[in-house]
Amino acid sequence: MEVVQVLHMNKGEGETSYAKNSVVQKKIISVATSIIKEEVQKCLEKNYPDSMGIADLGCSSGPNSLMVISDLIDTIYATSNQKEIPLPELRVSLNDLPGNDFNNIFISLPEFYNQLKMEKNIGPEGCFISGVPGSFYGRLFPKKSLHFVHSSSSLHWLSQVPRVLYANILKPLNKGKIYISNSSPRSVLDAYLSQFKRDFSLFMKSRSEEMVVDGHMVLSFMGRLSSDPSSEESCMQWELLAQALMSMALEGLIEEEKIDSFNAPYYAPSIQEVRSVVEEEGSFTINCLEAFEIEWDGDAPSNNNFQKYTDKIGKNNFSRGLQVAKTIRAVVESMLEVHFGREIMDELFKRYAELVGDYFSRTRAKYIDLVISLTKKG
Ligand SMILES: C[S@@+](CC[C@H](N)C(=O)[O-])C[C@H]1O[C@@H](n2cnc3c(N)ncnc32)[C@H](O)[C@@H]1O
């Protein structure tokens, strides 16, 4: 399975689209907003350019894509007003893999430009937005052309499934599982970690060539607090998906071998793993590296009033399970469809919703979102 070819969020604006089911990622963006604003301000203090290169990596489609850009422009606009100097010309690049629904973003651009004109008097000569298809695990932009880089909910996707997982088709290493699980052998855990280190290091190196000295970067992605890569906080969404698939295999609806030969190109690193790749690669200084809890259904509060919240909105565990299944489906369906076939998707996500609902009745399900801000060294 070539990730570059098969990974894309569900396209369009329909019921199962990413545009309609990206509330968790929206929450993740909002959690990092104050860090993003602070980093843009610091970036402009050190280096106020005439023309500012900005990139959002893994932009996908739907309302989130332009939400970050809008926040960035607000901050740059406020800074230029405060300093009483002209706004830099803004070169905004939206990057994702070639299969991304870029058209969905492009269609919303005229309205976005109109709003810029009305609210900030920024005309077409002040802000140039373009799409850049390609993998962020490699060069995407000219040397020293970027001042600010952002990426949200994307860097937990690896460039490929670790090759060793396919080495022996007759003896699958990760039997009955589709990601790291507490039954996975050590070799699976090690293979995922080395793939993450290779990919993340290449990401850092590529950005270091594209960014100016003192340029800033804010990245947020799924991670974990535990040092154990098979901890629930980083694996449970995949564990339940594997259970849903296995229940279908037991009824003969899919072949078990198909499950054994599928592994997610995903890794949720620990804070320490992230820190050590950045330090070893050496091109960036870490300004902050923080972890946030995000509820699986995204819109819930992250305080302790959880029971009050579920009572208030009258959501039962099953409807929350359905909502989570929709958010996960919008993200992983493209990959699963290629491997297992389109015809099983409705049944698979129905079973998944039930398993998630049941999990909610036992625990407060949460992801760990890591946010790291960095400055390009001189
Ligand atoms: C869950 S979406 C996040 C989208 C958006 N940033 C948001 O916060 O809503 C993850 C995006 O990362 C993209 N992605 C994954 N691997 C990538 C890569 N190597 N290069 C560029 N984009 C990638 C996916 O195609 C997908 O659109």
Side-chain angles (χ1 to χ4, degrees):
M1 181 181 72
E2 288 302 323
V3 173
V4 172
Q5 275 149 22
V6 299
L7 179 64
H8 60 79
M9 306 298 103
N10 279 354
K11 301 183 183 195
E13 304 264 345
E15 263 309 289
T16 60
S17 65
Y18 183 75
K20 286 253 158 66
N21 296 287
S22 43
V23 60
V24 174
Q25 293 82 354
K26 183 178 176 191
K27 175 83 183 178
I28 287 171
I29 292 170
S30 67
V31 158
T33 301
S34 59
I35 298 177
I36 296 172
K37 288 188 171 167
E38 209 176 294
E39 292 297 314
V40 176
Q41 279 161 352
K42 282 195 224 157
C43 177
L44 291 173
E45 251 152 51
K46 285 186 223 151
N47 182 358
Y48 195 94
D50 291 336
S51 176
M52 182 171 185
I54 298 168
D56 186 34
L57 308 180
C59 61
S60 196
S61 54
N64 295 356
S65 309
L66 290 172
M67 188 172 122
V68 183
I69 301 306
S70 176
D71 283 350
L72 286 173
I73 297 177
D74 283 353
T75 311
I76 300 165
Y77 180 76
T79 311
S80 85
N81 277 348
Q82 197 191 348
K83 287 181 183 285
E84 295 181 357
I85 40 179
L87 192 75
E89 167 188 273
L90 303 172
R91 290 174 279 116
V92 179
S93 303
L94 299 173
N95 153 262
D96 207 292
L97 292 172
N100 183 53
D101 191 358
F102 281 104
N103 270 343
N104 178 284
I105 309 177
F106 294 161
I107 284 169
S108 57
L109 282 181
E111 197 190 321
F112 186 78
Y113 282 126
N114 274 344
Q115 235 166 327
L116 279 187
K117 183 75 190 155
M118 269 170 17
E119 290 170 9
K120 303 191 175 68
N121 201 24
I122 301 176
E125 69 295 341
C127 178
F128 301 88
I129 302 182
S130 53
V132 178
S135 173
F136 49 52
Y137 295 123
R139 285 287 300 277
L140 291 165
F141 304 99
K143 276 186 188 164
K144 299 189 194 324
S145 60
L146 298 177
H147 298 80
F148 191 84
V149 172
H150 171 263
S151 176
S152 190
S153 298
S154 303
L155 273 155
H156 40 250
W157 292 109
L158 299 173
S159 68
Q160 60 174 65
V161 174
R163 291 281 181 241
V164 67
L165 268 82
Y166 298 124
N168 188 345
I169 303 167
L170 298 174
K171 253 183 120 193
L173 268 183
N174 207 19
K175 219 174 155 22
K177 302 295 174 187
I178 59 172
Y179 179 57
I180 294 170
S181 153
N182 53 19
S183 67
S184 302
R186 186 77 231 171
S187 54
V188 169
L189 277 51
D190 292 345
Y192 268 106
L193 175 58
S194 353
Q195 186 65 48
F196 167 74
K197 283 183 174 169
R198 257 201 310 279
D199 284 345
F200 197 49
S201 182
L202 180 56
F203 176 90
M204 287 294 158
K205 183 171 180 296
S206 310
R207 301 300 79 77
S208 78
E209 289 164 13
E210 297 163 348
M211 290 178 68
V212 300
V213 170
D214 284 335
H216 283 236
M217 177 153 77
V218 179
L219 313 171
S220 61
F221 44 91
M222 296 296 183
R224 58 180 210 274
L225 292 172
S226 166
S227 59
D228 174 10
S230 65
S231 62
E232 261 190 42
E233 66 192 11
S234 58
C235 300
M236 203 56 193
Q237 71 273 35
W238 297 108
E239 188 72 30
L240 297 178
L241 198 50
Q243 280 178 27
L245 286 162
M246 283 302 279
S247 75
M248 292 178 76
L250 276 176
E251 292 172 30
L253 299 173
I254 47 175
E255 292 164 18
E256 202 172 327
E257 294 73 40
K258 282 262 174 204
I259 303 171
D260 296 340
S261 60
F262 181 89
N263 289 286
Y266 173 96
Y267 188 71
S270 69
I271 289 182
Q272 196 39 50
E273 287 166 354
V274 172
R275 184 181 291 283
S276 73
V277 174
V278 174
E279 287 174 356
E280 267 167 42
E281 197 281 325
S283 309
F284 290 87
T285 308
I286 297 178
N287 304 329
C288 82
L289 176 47
E290 291 181 45
F292 298 90
E293 286 186 357
I294 306 285
E295 307 292 338
W296 273 19
D297 50 357
D299 54 353
S302 49
N303 58 28
N304 291 330
N305 290 331
F306 199 66
Q307 191 55 49
K308 253 196 231 158
Y309 162 77
T310 47
D311 292 347
K312 189 169 132 229
I313 61 166
K315 268 188 173 176
N316 61 30
N317 292 326
F318 181 69
S319 65
R320 294 180 66 212
L322 270 179
Q323 187 178 330
V324 173
K326 281 179 163 188
T327 66
I328 298 286
R329 181 173 186 167
V331 171
V332 301
E333 189 169 20
S334 68
M335 280 184 305
L336 295 178
E337 228 175 50
V338 168
H339 192 83
F340 295 100
R342 168 173 274 214
E343 59 290 351
I344 70 147
M345 291 298 128
D346 286 343
E347 180 61 25
L348 173 63
F349 284 99
K350 189 172 136 263
R351 291 178 188 223
Y352 186 57
E354 283 163 12
L355 288 166
V356 174
D358 179 55
Y359 185 59
F360 273 131
S361 68
R362 287 179 278 126
T363 188
R364 191 188 134 204
K366 58 188 176 1
Y367 301 116
I368 301 300
D369 165 46
L370 301 184
V371 181
I372 179 167
S373 67
L374 308 123
T375 306
K376 167 81 197 314
K377 288 183 188 167

